[in-house]
Amino acid sequence: MRSADLAGAPARPPLGLTLVALVVAQIGLHGCLNGMRMTVPLLALSQDQGAAVIGLLMALFAVFPFLLAIPAGRLVDRRGYRLPARLAALLAFFGAGLAVVSNHPLVLGGAAALTGAGSAVGMIALQRTAGRLARGDAERLRIFSWVALAPSVATFVGPMLAGALIDHVGYRTAFAGLALLPLGSLLATAWAPVDAPKPGAVVGRAGAAPAGNAWSLLGHADLRRLFFINWLIAASWDAHAFALPILGHQRGLSASAIGTVLAAYAVTSAAVRLAIPLLAEHLQPRLVMAGALALTAAVFGLYPWLDSAWAMAACAGTIGIGLGAIQPAVMTSLHACSPPERQGEALGLRSTVIHFSTLVMPISFGAVGSLLGVGPVFWLMGTALTLGSWQALRLHRPPSPLTEPSAP
């Protein structure tokens, strides 16, 4: 019973106000993260740091999310939304604050790690709480459609704010401006629900499935394909976030121009996420995935030949359409392929794949960039996306349940 879940807690505010509070809090955290992901490599470039150093700095944004995902989920289960969300805001604030104090690469690495941790902990708290707000599948679809806008809006707010402050004031002020965003998140948590775990829902109780069992899901061919596609989505964004500032710097673009290019991705990604629920009944998830991956692959192949900020913004916007459309399709197929009693494990494994990719891929991109230049980073990613499009077409129609592992 919902009343039992909230026993001893104050009454929840109206759903609309609660949802706005959750989204605003995540925009602050994710906006800080995306602004930092642009500002840190640009500062490193201004210090004449190489591509390998920049790749390492970008990878540090994923270190704590990779290590803390499971403990953060357990904390949210025990304490509800507010405490983890406030902890996330403080992590992001101190991360950006570190970069205000010093621009040494080691300090920037610590700033990247703390900011990444804040955004990840906040997202776990948001997703769990948003799901518990719903009273049925239709309402859950609407709630998560709005929740999905938070990263898109944040990808617009963070880089635009950082780019304007860098060009007109300087890097230190840009970091200070980004530090204000998680303070807004901290204030927004006051309007979020106060909830508690269901009675008897004790993490790690006897009889719970060992965490290692999640890897047995890889025995199913469709799930392997979906995890591969999910890795491609994460790697595509990492490649774009890594290579675009370098390419823009080489083409002589200002920080504001580079921020505008990244913002174009955010605008189109948000637009397509608003449209997907209206068209869902007429779309086949595997065809959406295949088409989106092929479109993104074509854009990655074109990117290194561009000189104009407007042309790059058009490409970033096209990537936003592709990657924005593919997420609902992946989530729909992931739930269809997973047995109901193991969907949580599948989602946990998906999160692990994303964070591992964000940790490892920037280092790989840095190595490739140092040896071959930034162009091959785009082309190699385009090749992988083409392979992913083919794998999407091989998904069963409709996705098969997890019974016996099928042939790859």
Side-chain angles (χ1 to χ4, degrees):
M1 295 288 293
R2 188 170 294 273
S3 59
D5 296 347
L6 303 178
R12 285 183 174 179
L15 177 60
L17 179 60
T18 298
L19 193 55
V20 168
L22 294 174
V23 171
V24 167
Q26 193 58 32
I27 288 174
L29 294 172
H30 221 71
C32 180
L33 173 68
N34 281 292
M36 292 286 288
R37 282 171 66 91
M38 186 189 87
T39 306
V40 167
L42 285 178
L43 177 57
L45 284 168
S46 72
Q47 298 172 339
D48 296 323
Q49 302 289 345
V53 172
I54 295 171
L56 179 60
L57 287 172
M58 297 298 285
L60 287 171
F61 281 102
V63 168
F64 283 173
F66 178 70
L67 296 175
L68 297 179
I70 294 176
R74 290 171 178 165
L75 176 63
V76 176
D77 282 334
R78 292 196 304 269
R79 301 299 298 269
Y81 175 78
R82 284 190 178 179
L83 177 64
R86 288 170 175 172
L87 175 61
L90 291 175
L91 286 170
F93 171 75
F94 284 116
L98 273 181
V100 175
V101 174
S102 172
N103 60 9
H104 190 279
L106 289 177
V107 177
L108 293 178
L114 289 175
T115 307
S119 180
V121 172
M123 182 58 77
I124 292 171
L126 167 69
Q127 290 174 337
R128 173 188 177 273
T129 303
R132 287 164 65 90
L133 291 174
R135 293 173 174 84
D137 291 340
E139 188 176 39
R140 184 170 290 109
L141 176 60
R142 288 194 296 271
I143 288 175
F144 277 110
S145 296
W146 287 108
V147 165
L149 290 175
S152 298
V153 174
T155 306
F156 177 85
V157 171
M160 287 292 287
L161 173 65
L165 290 176
I166 291 170
D167 284 342
H168 296 289
V169 187
Y171 284 98
R172 183 163 295 183
T173 305
F175 288 124
L178 292 172
L180 296 177
L181 295 178
L183 290 183
S185 301
L186 194 61
L187 293 174
T189 61
W191 286 273
V194 180
D195 59 352
K198 294 181 179 180
V202 180
V203 177
R205 66 184 183 276
N213 281 357
W215 296 100
S216 67
L217 292 167
L218 296 177
H220 187 268
D222 278 352
L223 282 176
R224 286 201 304 273
R225 294 185 180 107
L226 285 168
F227 287 131
F228 174 59
I229 291 168
N230 211 93
W231 167 76
L232 285 175
I233 298 170
S236 295
W237 171 239
D238 289 333
H240 193 252
F242 165 81
L244 180 63
I246 298 176
L247 184 66
H249 183 76
Q250 291 175 352
R251 300 295 190 268
L253 301 184
S254 66
S256 294
I258 296 172
T260 301
V261 172
L262 290 172
Y265 169 92
V267 170
T268 57
S269 177
V272 76
R273 285 173 179 170
L274 283 174
I276 285 292
L278 303 176
L279 304 172
E281 294 182 0
H282 307 287
L283 300 174
Q284 293 186 32
R286 72 187 192 102
L287 297 182
V288 171
M289 286 185 277
L293 290 169
L295 177 65
T296 307
V299 174
F300 268 82
L302 179 63
Y303 239 125
W305 305 105
L306 304 177
D307 293 315
S308 163
W310 289 109
M312 291 184 188
C315 282
T318 305
I319 291 175
I321 293 173
L323 298 186
I326 201 174
Q327 283 286 9
V330 169
M331 296 304 295
T332 298
S333 297
L334 189 64
H335 278 81
C337 290
S338 307
E341 71 277 7
R342 303 191 66 187
Q343 286 176 346
E345 286 182 285
L347 292 171
L349 187 55
R350 170 184 174 270
S351 180
T352 300
V353 169
I354 291 173
H355 289 139
F356 181 76
S357 173
T358 307
L359 176 62
V360 172
M361 294 312 295
I363 298 176
S364 303
F365 296 144
V368 173
S370 295
L371 292 174
L372 304 175
V374 71
V377 173
F378 285 105
W379 294 325
L380 288 172
M381 198 67 241
T383 302
L385 287 163
T386 302
L387 178 60
S389 180
W390 173 60
Q391 289 295 318
L393 289 174
R394 298 183 66 196
L395 289 169
H396 292 164
R397 183 173 44 180
S400 59
L402 182 61
T403 52
E404 295 297 329
S406 54

